[in-house]
Amino acid sequence: MSAASPRPAAGRSLPAAAPPGDPSVGAHLGLAAALLLLPAVASGFILVQIGAQSLILGLLALSLMVLAGYGGMISLAQITVAGIAGYTVAILGENSVAVHGFGWPWWLTVPVAITFAALGAALIGWISVRTQGIYTIMITLAIATAMSLFAQQNYTLFNGFEGFAGIPAPTLFGQRLRAPMAFYYLCLGVAALCYVAVLYGARSTFGLGLQATRDNQRRMRALGFDTTAHKVFAWFLAGIIAGLAGVLLVWFQGRISPGTIGVAAAINILVIAVVGGLRHPIGPFLGAVVVVLIQTFATDVVGAARHNTLIGITFLVIVYFSPDGLLGLWSRFQGQFRQNPLRPGDGA
Amino acid sequence: MSSVDGKAPFNARQGLTARQVWAGIGLVLALILVWMVVAQWPAWLNGILISKRTFLTTLLNGLTLAGLYFLVASGFTLIFGLMRNVNLAHGSLYLLGAYVGYEVVSRTGMWLLGVAVACLVLAVVGLILQVLVFRRLEGDDLRQTLVTIGISIVAADMMIAVWGGNTYQITEPDWLSGAVRLPVVTTIRADGTAIFLAYPFFRLFVLFLAVAVGIGLWLMINRTRLGAMIRAGVNDRAMLSASGVNVHVVFAIVFALGAALAGLAGVIGGSALSVSPGEDVRYLLASLVVVIVGGMGSVTGAAIGAVLIGIAEQLGLVYFPTYGGVVTFLILVVALAVRPQGIMGK
């Protein structure tokens, strides 16, 4: 589908995807070293509940960031895409509720799950690219809710309200992947891979075409680009990321139910992405760490049940004061607050 | 967008305009429906649709639900049409209205007072939201929408903090309770006595109220000065402002009106059905689908969408219970595929 853009963006050499606050190579290396060495100092609880969970939610938010940041399409259906992968793993692999569970090995279920997720994402994208801006939010929210309701009502395929439980993570070379350190490194590896892929993809011909479509769809169409194909392909690629996250999520939780892919979860992903910032792929992971920390430790601050209020207020404050999330705050702090030349009209 | 698709417009020289074709289809459907209501059903029809009583009750339930959906969605679509602001906290307004109505009715026992207080409180809440939040983020649709998500998260959590996770039911007033016998014969017994269809009076009242509100809104929008301002604002906000109208006042009034409608729907829904956490999401989804299908910003579209979704949901619940949620979704997809801007959208 990327063949739809035979002509390179000729003429000016664009400063491809270098938004304000772009972490330099040094920062990347430092971050990588810190993340790789984390298991040396952190306990298993921190590694899995904070580390792995942030990475998984960050991956989901990254798939949203790809669509929103580069494509201008805010999707609330990324959790639905992850859910497709998760349910596929539960149905084709093993589970303990004695519904389906074909017992396929992981190297078969995972590719199938991710393929389903990516195709599902492309389908959702194909439906929703007919609309723009806030309409896309509405339609993807409607799709996400409908899918969750469907999973809840359907017992033959999704096992209804209960969903699936007892889904084991595989064992690789005698090492249980769900063991804290192994799982942390697994999530870190997948996240790093996707992060680099997104950074690279944003500078590819396809990525530039997508960003140009975001900025001026009419002009791109006049230039002979198939803008719909660009957008749907972006959905497909984001679907792969969300699918990977979905597989990790179902291994992490060991269960999946309609609540996993419900509206609250869908909005949670959006909150993470927006809190972190949609300008750069590091944003979603930043947002995920903040939200996971709040979710884990808010109990000590505001009492057991009210952590949603704290998250909601954090979200409100950030949206209200810094549209670019924490990344925006950071770049403002750095005094580099300038407009991204690829996104006209943002500063207005 | 549709002009670029390259589809030929429906050609008048072929003899029929699109409008005539749709009117014809509508007429045939209406005749079939009338026959279904009036006639004694043959056995094969009973075989397909269980029984005449079940079908008609389901249809009426669908219309009642449509009335409720319309009340919620009309405010949503008005706010959207005028301010281009997807108020994703609209479901929270509905739920807050229901809780306020419950508190008032359970303490005073006066149902109408509950309705009035809920509308008033919600109008004030809407006003506060408009002045404190939306006016400050004006022109930034996306951030407004995100802020409403934040508000709905906080509101849902605060409402759980206050009212807990219980399910409440607002007591309907005596003069609206009980069942009425409709002049529709469902079955004729062997001895010749006709069995008439009985239906809860309150639900008929909901339907009646929705129609009344719909007509009222239509009159307000099409026949009053304020309505003219709103229509002008939907078409071109900047031009309306330039011609000397204080747009902010119009915005505030519409927001208060939309929120009050959500509050009204909350009390009605809480009386006809129930009040519990999670209802906010349900009615938000309903409004979304209704408004997407009907066309954003159009009250008539909201009415059409509400009827479609309400009836489809109820029929789906009775005739294919496993796939009730999918019917709504299918309508959404078909509507998007055929008319992305919605049935009455521009």
Side-chain angles (χ1 to χ4, degrees):
Chain A
M1 247 187 260
S2 55
S5 50
R7 273 169 271 174
R12 295 172 295 164
S13 62
L14 291 172
D22 191 10
S24 63
V25 177
H28 272 132
L29 286 178
L31 186 66
L35 285 173
L36 281 173
L37 292 176
L38 185 67
V41 288
S43 67
F45 173 81
I46 297 222
L47 276 187
V48 174
Q49 292 302 324
I50 309 288
Q53 200 181 351
S54 301
L55 287 165
I56 296 171
L57 292 177
L59 266 175
L60 270 170
L62 178 70
S63 79
L64 168 59
M65 180 268 153
V66 167
L67 291 176
Y70 299 132
M73 305 171 279
I74 295 201
S75 156
L76 277 170
Q78 293 314 102
I79 191 76
T80 311
V81 177
I84 295 175
Y87 268 111
T88 311
V89 168
I91 291 169
L92 296 182
E94 292 170 42
N95 66 65
S96 65
V97 292
V99 179
H100 303 299
F102 298 139
W104 292 14
W106 69 269
W107 46 265
L108 211 54
T109 55
V110 170
V112 171
I114 289 164
T115 312
F116 279 2
L119 290 178
L123 184 67
I124 298 173
W126 184 67
I127 294 170
S128 60
V129 293
R130 298 176 67 91
T131 58
Q132 284 186 337
I134 30 189
Y135 296 78
T136 312
I137 300 187
M138 297 169 73
I139 278 152
T140 49
L141 178 60
I143 290 175
T145 322
M147 279 305 288
S148 161
L149 280 179
F150 178 51
Q152 192 171 325
Q153 288 173 343
N154 183 299
Y155 277 83
T156 46
L157 188 59
F158 295 103
N159 199 28
F161 182 76
E162 194 190 346
F164 295 96
I167 306 155
T171 303
L172 199 60
F173 308 120
Q175 168 66 49
R176 273 179 58 246
L177 282 187
R178 189 57 181 79
M181 197 186 290
F183 194 64
Y184 172 76
Y185 277 123
L186 174 69
C187 294
L188 185 62
V190 174
L193 205 68
C194 291
Y195 175 74
V196 172
V198 168
L199 271 187
Y200 173 79
R203 296 167 199 215
S204 69
T205 318
F206 164 75
L208 289 177
L210 184 67
Q211 290 169 69
T213 305
R214 170 199 68 198
D215 292 339
N216 196 331
Q217 177 160 354
R218 223 184 211 173
R219 192 176 293 172
M220 284 298 280
R221 200 182 287 162
L223 285 169
F225 288 87
D226 189 342
T227 51
T228 308
H230 269 79
K231 287 179 165 183
V232 174
F233 190 58
W235 272 88
F236 179 83
L237 293 179
I240 294 177
I241 299 176
L244 280 166
V247 172
L248 291 175
L249 189 67
V250 81
W251 284 348
F252 170 66
Q253 295 180 334
R255 50 169 41 267
I256 187 161
S257 67
T260 319
I261 58 170
V263 181
I267 288 179
N268 195 27
I269 302 302
L270 180 68
V271 169
I272 288 172
V274 171
V275 163
L278 291 168
R279 289 288 189 90
H280 189 277
I282 198 70
F285 292 103
L286 203 61
V289 172
V290 171
V291 169
V292 167
L293 281 176
I294 292 179
Q295 274 168 347
T296 313
F297 295 110
T299 320
D300 308 329
V301 186
V302 285
R306 294 284 80 79
H307 70 255
N308 269 335
T309 305
L310 193 63
I311 289 172
I313 289 174
T314 313
F315 177 72
L316 270 178
V317 166
I318 286 183
V319 172
Y320 208 88
F321 292 105
S322 170
D324 287 333
L326 293 172
L327 280 184
L329 281 184
W330 173 242
S331 56
R332 197 182 297 188
F333 175 71
Q334 280 185 321
Q336 293 183 342
F337 200 63
R338 56 166 194 264
Q339 252 175 275
N340 182 346
L342 277 179
R343 301 190 64 174
D346 247 9
Chain B
M1 212 163 153
S2 57
S3 61
V4 205
D5 288 344
K7 284 181 207 149
F10 212 98
N11 203 329
R13 275 172 297 173
Q14 290 169 333
L16 284 172
T17 61
R19 189 179 280 261
Q20 284 168 329
V21 170
W22 284 114
I25 294 173
L27 196 66
V28 171
L29 285 179
L31 283 176
I32 292 176
L33 195 68
V34 168
W35 177 81
M36 285 174 96
V37 171
V38 175
Q40 283 306 303
W41 282 20
W44 59 268
L45 196 55
N46 275 331
I48 299 172
L49 297 175
I50 304 173
S51 75
K52 186 176 178 183
R53 198 174 67 89
T54 313
F55 178 75
L56 288 184
T57 310
T58 311
L59 206 61
L60 280 172
N61 279 343
L63 281 176
T64 313
L65 194 64
L68 200 53
Y69 283 172
F70 171 73
L71 288 178
V72 190
S74 54
F76 187 77
T77 202
L78 266 183
I79 292 174
F80 177 84
L82 188 63
M83 285 165 260
R84 299 286 133 188
N85 168 25
V86 178
N87 179 16
L88 292 180
H90 204 71
S92 313
L93 296 179
Y94 167 92
L95 192 56
L96 183 63
Y99 279 131
V100 169
Y102 169 77
E103 286 297 328
V104 174
V105 174
S106 64
R107 279 180 199 181
T108 65
M110 288 147 80
W111 190 77
L112 281 179
L113 186 70
V115 172
V117 172
C119 286
L120 207 66
V121 169
L122 266 292
V124 172
V125 170
L127 215 57
I128 293 173
L129 275 181
Q130 155 67 14
V131 172
L132 284 188
V133 181
F134 296 110
R135 186 166 301 175
R136 283 164 198 249
L137 299 176
E138 211 172 290
D140 198 340
D141 308 341
L142 200 57
R143 260 170 88 201
Q144 287 186 338
T145 306
L146 292 177
V147 163
T148 60
I149 292 181
I151 292 172
S152 70
I153 297 173
V154 176
D157 210 40
M158 294 320 283
M159 284 192 275
I160 290 179
V162 176
W163 285 284
N166 304 328
T167 302
Y168 300 100
Q169 166 105 42
I170 303 174
T171 347
E172 54 195 40
D174 290 336
W175 52 277
L176 284 175
S177 60
V180 279
R181 218 169 58 169
L182 299 174
V184 176
V185 180
T186 51
T187 43
I188 296 180
R189 287 220 187 109
D191 59 355
T193 49
I195 311 286
F196 290 91
L197 183 70
Y199 197 72
F201 184 50
F202 187 78
R203 297 203 168 179
L204 288 181
F205 170 75
V206 172
L207 192 56
F208 171 76
L209 189 74
V211 171
V213 167
I215 292 174
L217 275 179
W218 189 86
L219 284 177
M220 188 203 84
I221 288 173
N222 289 299
R223 292 282 182 273
T224 66
R225 195 177 155 75
L226 176 67
M229 288 179 195
I230 293 175
R231 274 180 294 140
V234 170
N235 280 340
D236 194 330
R237 199 158 64 182
M239 203 57 221
L240 177 69
S241 171
S243 51
V245 174
N246 188 343
V247 185
H248 291 296
V249 174
V250 181
F251 283 6
I253 292 173
V254 170
F255 214 105
L257 181 69
L261 279 173
L264 171 69
V267 183
I268 305 274
S271 313
L273 306 163
S274 62
V275 196
S276 60
E279 292 286 287
D280 50 348
V281 175
R282 202 190 131 196
Y283 282 92
L284 175 65
L285 173 75
S287 318
L288 278 174
V289 176
V290 162
V291 168
I292 292 171
V293 169
M296 295 182 225
S298 156
V299 173
T300 322
I304 297 174
V307 169
L308 269 177
I309 301 297
I311 290 181
E313 203 169 288
Q314 287 298 313
L315 287 180
L317 213 60
V318 171
Y319 292 109
F320 12 86
T322 334
Y323 300 100
V326 184
V327 178
T328 320
F329 179 66
L330 272 183
I331 293 181
L332 179 75
V333 172
V334 170
L336 275 177
V338 181
R339 254 185 99 77
Q341 72 275 46
I343 293 172
M344 299 298 287
K346 284 174 193 142

